[in-house]
Amino acid sequence: MAFKPLHDRVLVRRIEGEEKTKGGLIIPDTAKEKPAEGEIVSVGEGARKDSGELIAPTVKAGDRILFGKWSGTEVTLDGKELLIMKESDILGIIS
């Protein structure tokens, strides 16, 4: 992909959730919530302190993350639906 986020932003691909409940019921598309789990596609170089020193990002491409429900800006790149968000919007890394 020919897109690199700037500063402390990351490019994220949502990971779709299950289409069935544990009891076996199928969830229709209209009732599904947007997943708050994703995979980092690309990472910017990091934020800068007031002194100009670079703060390296904590996450890297390939990390699975959890993020807030309303985090990020939805974009379409190369026909894929992705999110651009600040690293501070990420709640945690799934190991």
Side-chain angles (χ1 to χ4, degrees), residues 15-61:
I15 297 174
E16 296 300 324
E18 295 291 323
E19 295 187 9
K20 290 185 180 180
T21 63
K22 289 182 182 178
L25 297 174
I26 297 174
I27 304 170
D29 289 339
T30 56
K32 287 183 189 175
E33 290 190 23
K34 289 185 177 178
E37 186 177 331
E39 180 181 353
I40 303 280
V41 176
S42 181
V43 180
E45 65 182 19
R48 293 210 178 262
K49 293 182 182 180
D50 290 337
S51 63
E53 182 183 343
L54 186 67
I55 303 170
T58 307
V59 295
K60 62 186 180 308

Side-chain angles (χ1 to χ4, degrees), residues 6-94:
L6 296 176
H7 309 295
D8 64 338
R9 289 181 175 77
V10 296
L11 187 64
V12 177
R13 176 179 43 250
R14 285 186 195 268
I15 297 174
E16 296 300 324
E18 295 291 323
E19 295 187 9
K20 290 185 180 180
T21 63
K22 289 182 182 178
L25 297 174
I26 297 174
I27 304 170
D29 289 339
T30 56
K32 287 183 189 175
E33 290 190 23
K34 289 185 177 178
E37 186 177 331
E39 180 181 353
I40 303 280
V41 176
S42 181
V43 180
E45 65 182 19
R48 293 210 178 262
K49 293 182 182 180
D50 290 337
S51 63
E53 182 183 343
L54 186 67
I55 303 170
T58 307
V59 295
K60 62 186 180 308
D63 283 349
R64 287 180 61 137
I65 59 163
L66 290 177
F67 51 87
K69 190 173 188 175
W70 305 108
S71 299
T73 302
E74 294 181 355
V75 295
T76 302
L77 296 170
D78 296 336
K80 298 177 185 173
E81 302 252 340
L82 302 167
L83 289 169
I84 298 174
M85 66 179 69
K86 287 191 166 248
E87 185 181 21
S88 60
D89 290 340
I90 297 171
L91 303 174
I93 300 171
I94 301 171

